[in-house]
Amino acid sequence: MTGQGGTAAVVLRAAPGGLVGSSPDYAPDAWPEPLGPLRPLDPLGTVLIPPAVRAVVAPRPTAAPAAAAPAPAPQADPSLGRAADLELSADRLVRRRLPRGRRLAAAAERLTRGGDREREPARQAERIRTPLRRAHRVAVLGAGPGTGRTVTTTLLGDLLAAHRPDRVIALALGTGTGPVGLPAAPTHQDFRRFTELRPSGLELLASGAADEAGHRRLLDAAASQYPVVLTDPGGGAPAVRAALAAADQLVICAGATVRGAAGTDALLGWLAAEGFADRVAAGLLVVAPVRGNERALPGEELSAHFAGRFRSVLLVPADAHLADGGDPVLDRLRGRTRAAFTELAALTGDAMAD
C-alpha cells in the first residue's frame, strides 16, 4: 500500500498450511545487521575498503624468491677408500697441471727439439752451398790403403755436387792413363772428353802418372773451369806434394785400427816437417770403419787421441754397402752413415767461407 508520506513494501507471508499468491516466500526469519552507511567513492570510482579489510584482501607485493641454500659439497664415499681420492676428475686434472710458466717452457723445449731436427738438413745444405769468390781445392790424404780415402773423396764430391750450383770435379792423381791431348788452356768441354759424370753431377778424372809440375798444371787447369776441385793423390810423392801445394783445405782419412792410428801419426809428423801444420790444424779427420779381419780400435779412443790436432773428427759407422768395396752410392748408405758424410760436406763448406 502506498501512502502520502512515501512508499512502503508489504510482504505477504504464507499462512501455515497454505499459500498466498502463486510464488513461495524464501525470506529468512531474521535479517543480518546492516553494514552501516554506504561510504563514498574514491576519485578513481572504487569503493574505499576499510583498512582492516584492505590488509586482508589487498594483493601483497611480489618479492624475489629466496635464494636456495647452497647444496653441500659432495664428499668422497669412505667405502671407496683410495679409489675415491684417486678418481680421475676434471677438477683434479686442472689442479695437477703445471704452472703456466713451466707449461710454456716445456712446450717451447718440445718445439725447439722437433724444430731443430726438422731444420738441421736445411742448415747443413746451406753450409754446403757456401758461396765462393774463387776456386776451392780440397786434398784428401790417407796413410796407406784401407783408410777409406777413395770412398771419402767420391761421397764428399757427390754431396758437394748435389747441393752446390757450380761444377765439382774429383781428380785421382797418379792413376789411369791421364787426359792425353788436353790443351794447355782447356775449356769445360775439353775436360768433358775425359771425365766420368756421376748421377750427382760430380765429374771424375784419372790423371795418370806425371811429375809434380805436371800434376800442378792439371790442378791449375781444373781450377779454371771447376769452382770446387777434390784431389785424391794416392801414395805417390809427386802427386801428394802437388796436391798439398795447391790445397785450400785438408781431409785426412784414418782406419780404426792400430796400424791405421800409427800410420796417421806418422803422416801428421811428415806434414808438420813439410810446413803444413797449420793446414792440419784447420783440417778434418775421417775415421773409417775396419774392413777385413784387422783388429779394430774403438772410434771414441781414436777421436780422443786426435781431437786436439784437427778442426773436427768424424766417425763413420760401419755400413754393409761400404764393406762390399764397390762403387759407393749415397742412396744405399745407412742413415747414420749418410749423416756422417753430410756433416763432412757441411764442415767442408764452412771452410769455404774463409
Side-chain angles (χ1 to χ4, degrees):
M1 180 179 69
T2 303
Q4 295 179 354
T7 301
V10 178
V11 179
L12 299 179
R13 294 183 176 274
L19 294 175
V20 179
S22 59
S23 298
D25 181 13
Y26 294 101
D29 293 335
W31 292 95
E33 292 294 328
L35 297 177
L38 296 177
R39 296 180 180 275
L41 299 177
D42 64 5
L44 297 179
T46 59
V47 178
L48 295 178
I49 302 175
V53 179
R54 186 166 58 244
V56 176
V57 301
R60 296 180 180 179
T62 303
Q75 300 294 327
D77 187 353
S79 63
L80 298 179
R82 287 183 55 82
D85 294 335
L86 299 178
E87 181 184 1
L88 193 62
S89 63
D91 183 64
R92 182 171 288 107
L93 288 175
V94 171
R95 287 201 308 269
R96 290 184 178 179
R97 293 180 67 188
L98 292 174
R100 186 171 185 272
R102 291 183 60 188
R103 293 201 308 273
L104 293 177
E109 183 180 359
R110 289 193 300 270
L111 289 175
T112 302
R113 287 199 305 266
D116 286 343
R117 286 193 297 268
E118 294 174 359
R119 290 190 293 268
E120 183 61 24
R123 283 199 294 258
Q124 286 181 320
E126 289 299 322
R127 293 164 61 194
I128 296 172
R129 288 193 291 262
T130 301
L132 288 171
R133 293 187 296 270
R134 60 181 180 84
H136 191 86
R137 291 173 277 199
V138 182
V140 184
L141 307 179
T147 59
R149 184 188 65 248
T150 302
V151 170
T152 299
T153 304
T154 304
L155 293 178
L156 175 59
D158 280 337
L159 287 164
L160 293 174
H163 287 85
R164 297 187 61 83
D166 37 30
R167 295 190 292 264
V168 182
I169 189 171
L171 301 176
L173 301 182
T175 61
T177 58
V180 179
L182 188 68
T187 64
H188 179 242
Q189 292 301 320
D190 293 330
F191 271 100
R192 282 296 294 122
R193 292 166 48 205
F194 303 99
T195 59
E196 173 191 350
L197 183 64
R198 289 176 61 83
S200 64
L202 173 67
E203 295 184 38
L204 299 177
L205 175 61
S207 68
D211 57 8
E212 183 177 343
H215 289 308
R216 288 194 180 187
R217 285 193 296 270
L218 178 62
L219 286 171
D220 291 340
S224 68
Q225 300 300 320
Y226 297 87
V228 180
V229 180
L230 304 178
T231 58
D232 175 9
V240 172
R241 291 183 183 277
L244 287 172
D248 299 297
Q249 186 176 174
L250 291 183
V251 175
I252 297 179
C253 301
T257 63
V258 175
R259 186 175 64 178
T264 302
D265 278 329
L267 175 60
L268 296 182
W270 181 81
L271 290 172
E274 293 292 321
F276 296 103
D278 56 340
R279 301 283 180 88
V280 173
L284 306 171
L285 177 65
V286 179
V287 179
V290 176
R291 291 193 299 177
N293 299 323
E294 290 192 75
R295 179 185 174 187
L297 283 178
E300 293 75 9
E301 293 185 8
L302 284 175
S303 178
H305 177 70
F306 293 110
R309 305 167 73 176
F310 293 91
R311 174 162 58 101
S312 184
V313 177
L314 291 94
L315 302 179
V316 177
D319 195 297
H321 173 56
L322 298 181
D324 293 340
D327 185 33
V329 180
L330 280 172
D331 292 339
R332 297 183 59 186
L333 297 177
R334 294 173 53 195
R336 293 176 55 198
T337 308
R338 178 160 184 162
F341 281 105
T342 303
E343 181 60 20
L344 172 64
L347 289 169
T348 304
D350 292 341
M352 293 179 182
D354 300 333

